[in-house]
Amino acid sequence: MPIPPRLPDAPPDPLAARQRRRLCQMLWLLVGAFALVIGINLASGAMRTAALEGLIASLLLVALPIAHRSSRGAVALAAVSLLLGLIVLIVHNQGLYDEAVLALPALLLFAGMFGSRRMFLGLAAVVLAAIVALFFLHQGGLVVSQPLVPMDWRRPFVIGLILTVTALFVWLIVRDLDATVRQLEEEKEALEQSHAQIEILAQRDSLTSLPNRALAKDRLTHLLTQARRNGGMVAVLFLDLDNFKTINDSLGHIAGDALLCQVADTLRDCVRESDTVARVSGDEFLILLGDLPDEDAIVAAVAKLTHRLGQAFPVEGVDVLVTASLGIAVAPRDGSDTGTLLKHADMAMYRAKDAGRNTFRFFDPSMNGSVVEQLHLASGLRSALGSEQLMLHYQPQLELTSGRIVGAEALLRWRHPEHGWISPARFIPVAERSGLIHELGAWVLRQACLDAQSWRELGLGALGVAVNVSAVQFRRDGLERDVARALASSGLPAQALELELTESLLMADASYLGDVLQRLSSRGVQIAIDDFGTGYSNLGYLRHFAVDRLKVDQSFVRRMTSNPHDEGLVRAIIEMGHCLGLQVVAEGVEDAQTLARLLAFGCERGQGFHWSPALPPQDFIAFVQHHQARA
């Protein structure tokens, strides 16, 4: 039979330990008092009295070791011994005239201190009953008291000893009560401090000590109440630090926290004492300005904030530049309640981010309609992922010198059951903001690889497929896993898959992106830089990335025959790409004249309406078969 595990011992109770210690002190005090009285009685020849007192003292000594284990047993033994012993002494000696009667209150004090309520009430009842019984027995002549002893020093000594012991009992009780009261006061003070700390934690940000969202809402409600009474304006500023994640990732979270504290102090210094600066989440702050005469005062406050934030913040020996996007909602124009103003300020902040960051925007009613539309799009897109509304169209890519089709670019299309075809320019940003882009991107990768493998199985040749990858996808660690799963499930060789990313993404996350591209390239996956020429690339960076191709943006290619500047730019991009050992793909080839120029510049590949627009899968297959039959 297995032995059950031993339960851990309960932690010692300090109150019980103190009570046992006090009980032992009382017992020793009583034994000492009885020892003195026994000595006096032995000296005066009262042997029988001394013997009774010795028996009581012996029982008290027996109770001492019991007190170390069980205070209840020791108290019961001591109380019963004292009660019976004192009654016997009273009956044996001088009855109700005996000084032992004075010890009965001390016995009740002892029982009240250490015994239960039942024991105390029982002893009190027995003591009263014994006194009444002694009185009636004495009156009836059944108990004959011993003659009174002459008044000498022994009697006041015994009386004084009994009163001293009783006084010590009372003194110890008072001390214990004082200690208990002090402990209760300390616990009360600690509890009040704990409640105050809890209140601070509930209403304050633990890092910056600024008000949190809950306290900011309360203060905004108060400001709105004042504004309705005084006819003033209230401004709600929603501030979000730009690219704070980059700072956190590069310098570490400790440095990021230090920067947030400095930003919090700066914001606090920029406003009046009556205004509120709150931290509502990681790098988002809320600024409440009350009693404003007009919007010019708001603009002045925003200008002061952006100016102060534009100064470098020293963090771990590095001067960090901080910019912020601000959204502003004004009461009563943009709303008269807390929830509406916060929502509108948040919308305006995201509009400021869409405008390029490091700027501010006032709320406009059109923003609300835009947000509602985006919510509907996000909801519809989520449903589309589980249906046949989403499909890939493929635009052929050709080798310019031979005219051979070498692959296709996969372009996502959405056919909504009610609204018809929805442009990727509308739903891709919604997918990125809602987080659906990861699931959407994985679906595109998987479907493109399956289609490309089916082309091979149909005998169309070793065609490759190019898939656009969002910047949001690259910032999440799952991209490499999605690529590996798509290749494994389709059987497509890694060399037939090309991932297209924008040059702005390449510059924004250079250190992290370089490692990811290197690992993908080592698998055999091809990498292309899309829309090249529209960003601000440093060509020196390209030498450090595992890039295979540059795709010249179609806006330059379409105008190259009519605009010498665009023609020169396209030619320069092609030459620079060749210097870096990269192939160049021209997008937007729409006529033979453009094709001739590109061939003259040495461009390797092209795609555009000159050959074909993006086609549904079956139409693409038919186009390739027809093209190959003509070749």
Side-chain angles (χ1 to χ4, degrees):
M1 181 177 178
I3 300 174
R6 182 176 180 269
L7 295 175
D9 295 334
D13 186 355
L15 184 60
R18 186 174 68 180
Q19 189 177 34
R20 284 195 296 270
R21 186 170 60 253
R22 186 69 80 203
L23 175 59
C24 292
Q25 293 173 352
M26 294 285 194
L27 291 175
W28 278 116
L29 183 61
L30 290 170
V31 170
F34 273 103
L36 287 174
V37 176
I38 290 169
I40 294 172
N41 287 328
L42 288 175
S44 61
M47 298 300 178
R48 293 179 64 183
T49 301
L52 288 172
E53 293 166 346
L55 178 61
I56 297 172
S58 300
L59 293 173
L60 294 176
L61 288 172
V62 172
L64 271 169
I66 299 175
H68 292 287
R69 300 189 304 272
S70 172
S71 60
R72 182 177 300 179
V75 171
L77 176 59
V80 171
S81 301
L82 287 170
L83 177 62
L84 296 178
L86 289 173
I87 291 175
V88 171
L89 285 174
I90 292 170
V91 172
H92 175 70
N93 292 328
Q94 301 176 36
L96 294 178
Y97 295 103
D98 194 81
E99 60 267 20
V101 175
L102 296 175
L104 294 176
L107 172 61
L108 294 178
L109 282 173
F110 178 82
M113 285 182 66
F114 301 106
S116 63
R117 175 189 286 185
R118 182 179 300 177
M119 177 185 291
F120 175 78
L121 294 176
L123 282 176
V126 171
V127 167
L128 291 174
I131 292 174
V132 172
L134 285 172
F135 172 76
F136 285 111
L137 291 174
H138 184 76
Q139 291 294 102
L142 298 176
V143 174
V144 179
S145 302
Q146 298 293 330
L148 294 175
V149 297
M151 182 64 67
D152 57 11
W153 66 271
R154 289 174 299 176
R155 191 173 184 86
F157 179 81
V158 173
I159 293 173
L161 182 61
I162 293 172
L163 293 176
T164 300
V165 171
T166 305
L168 285 173
F169 280 10
V170 173
W171 181 68
L172 292 174
I173 290 174
V174 171
R175 282 195 59 186
D176 288 345
L177 286 175
D178 287 342
T180 302
V181 169
R182 283 197 302 271
Q183 182 178 352
L184 289 174
E185 289 177 348
E186 291 174 358
E187 291 177 355
K188 178 185 176 183
E189 184 178 353
L191 187 61
E192 290 176 348
Q193 292 177 354
S194 177
H195 285 166
Q197 186 66 25
I198 291 173
E199 186 176 357
I200 290 174
L201 293 175
Q203 296 188 335
R204 294 279 176 175
D205 172 53
S206 58
L207 177 64
T208 61
S209 297
L210 290 176
N212 61 12
R213 183 184 292 270
L215 182 55
K217 285 184 175 180
D218 289 342
R219 293 190 177 179
L220 178 55
T221 302
H222 179 68
L223 287 176
L224 292 174
T225 302
Q226 282 186 328
R228 282 191 288 269
R229 185 168 55 247
N230 302 332
M233 297 171 59
V234 175
V236 179
L237 280 63
F238 207 113
L239 183 148
D240 183 89
L241 300 181
D242 299 328
N243 301 316
F244 180 73
K245 182 179 182 299
T246 304
I247 298 171
N248 248 353
D249 293 343
S250 57
L251 298 180
H253 289 282
I254 295 177
D257 289 346
L259 177 61
L260 288 174
C261 291
Q262 293 188 54
V263 170
D265 292 339
T266 299
L267 296 178
R268 202 157 27 199
D269 292 342
C270 290
V271 300
R272 302 164 298 179
E273 291 186 3
S274 58
D275 299 328
T276 295
V277 177
R279 182 184 177 216
V280 294
S281 68
D283 60 344
E284 293 180 339
F285 295 85
L286 197 63
I287 303 169
L288 308 177
L289 307 177
D291 194 24
L292 298 170
D294 49 41
E295 290 192 7
D296 290 340
I298 302 173
V299 174
V302 171
K304 184 177 181 181
L305 287 169
T306 53
H307 173 71
R308 289 290 303 275
L309 288 177
Q311 301 174 7
F313 292 90
V315 179
E316 295 189 353
V318 178
D319 288 339
V320 178
L321 295 176
V322 174
T323 61
S325 301
L326 285 92
I328 307 167
V330 181
R333 184 192 67 193
D334 300 327
S336 57
D337 63 276
T338 301
T340 301
L341 287 169
L342 291 176
K343 182 181 72 172
H344 289 171
D346 192 31
M347 289 180 187
M349 184 271 292
Y350 278 105
R351 187 59 60 89
K353 281 192 174 295
D354 292 340
R357 305 174 188 262
N358 192 24
T359 187
F360 67 92
R361 288 289 184 272
F362 282 91
F363 172 76
D364 184 270
S366 62
M367 297 179 185
N368 209 1
S370 175
V371 170
V372 172
E373 180 188 8
Q374 290 182 18
L375 289 175
H376 285 302
L377 283 176
S379 176
L381 191 57
R382 191 179 300 277
S383 301
L385 278 167
S387 65
E388 296 181 355
Q389 299 176 33
L390 296 176
M391 61 189 73
L392 293 180
H393 286 193
Y394 295 95
Q395 186 171 38
Q397 283 187 1
L398 287 86
E399 188 176 68
L400 300 187
T401 54
S402 65
R404 180 173 59 91
I405 297 176
V406 293
E409 180 181 359
L411 299 169
L412 183 61
R413 297 291 184 262
W414 180 16
R415 187 170 187 174
H416 194 278
E418 298 177 3
H419 306 296
W421 293 103
I422 298 179
S423 168
R426 286 181 61 196
F427 70 80
I428 292 297
V430 173
E432 291 179 334
R433 281 193 287 268
S434 64
L436 289 172
I437 192 64
H438 304 294
E439 190 176 352
L440 192 63
W443 181 87
V444 170
L445 275 170
R446 183 171 61 253
Q447 189 62 45
C449 290
L450 287 171
D451 287 344
Q453 181 61 21
S454 71
W455 302 337
R456 293 173 175 248
E457 295 170 355
L458 288 173
L460 300 184
L463 301 182
V465 63
V467 176
N468 291 280
V469 181
S470 164
V472 179
Q473 285 178 270
F474 254 108
R475 294 190 185 102
R476 190 168 124 173
D477 297 334
L479 177 63
E480 294 175 73
R481 182 183 65 251
D482 292 341
V483 169
R485 287 177 177 174
L487 293 173
S489 62
S490 64
L492 183 71
Q495 294 78 5
L497 175 63
E498 178 178 276
L499 300 181
E500 296 186 1
L501 57 151
T502 61
E503 64 176 315
S504 58
L505 169 63
L506 195 70
M507 296 302 101
D509 297 301
S511 59
Y512 168 72
L513 194 59
D515 295 335
V516 176
L517 294 181
Q518 188 61 49
R519 290 193 294 270
L520 289 170
S521 181
S522 65
R523 287 176 174 266
V525 177
Q526 304 289 293
I527 305 296
I529 306 300
D530 196 16
D531 300 333
F532 193 82
T534 59
Y536 305 94
S537 291
N538 180 338
L539 291 177
Y541 271 105
L542 295 179
R543 295 162 49 196
H544 303 293
F545 291 108
V547 175
D548 301 286
R549 296 182 184 88
L550 296 181
K551 298 190 72 174
V552 185
D553 187 69
Q554 59 184 333
S555 62
F556 305 127
V557 176
R558 287 173 177 169
R559 296 193 302 262
M560 62 180 292
T561 58
S562 59
N563 189 321
H565 295 290
D566 287 325
E567 181 181 13
L569 180 59
V570 171
R571 183 172 186 173
I573 292 174
I574 294 171
E575 291 178 355
M576 287 187 292
H578 291 164
C579 290
L580 294 172
L582 306 177
Q583 286 188 337
V584 181
V585 182
E587 297 181 296
V589 181
E590 297 187 352
D591 52 54
Q593 187 179 3
T594 302
L595 174 59
R597 296 282 181 90
L598 291 171
L599 281 168
F601 296 157
C603 183
E604 287 86 359
R605 296 185 178 186
Q607 65 185 76
F609 287 177
H610 178 64
W611 297 285
S612 172
L615 301 170
Q618 293 302 319
D619 293 347
F620 173 76
I621 292 172
F623 176 83
V624 175
Q625 290 173 336
H626 178 71
H627 186 85
Q628 291 177 346
R630 290 174 49 196

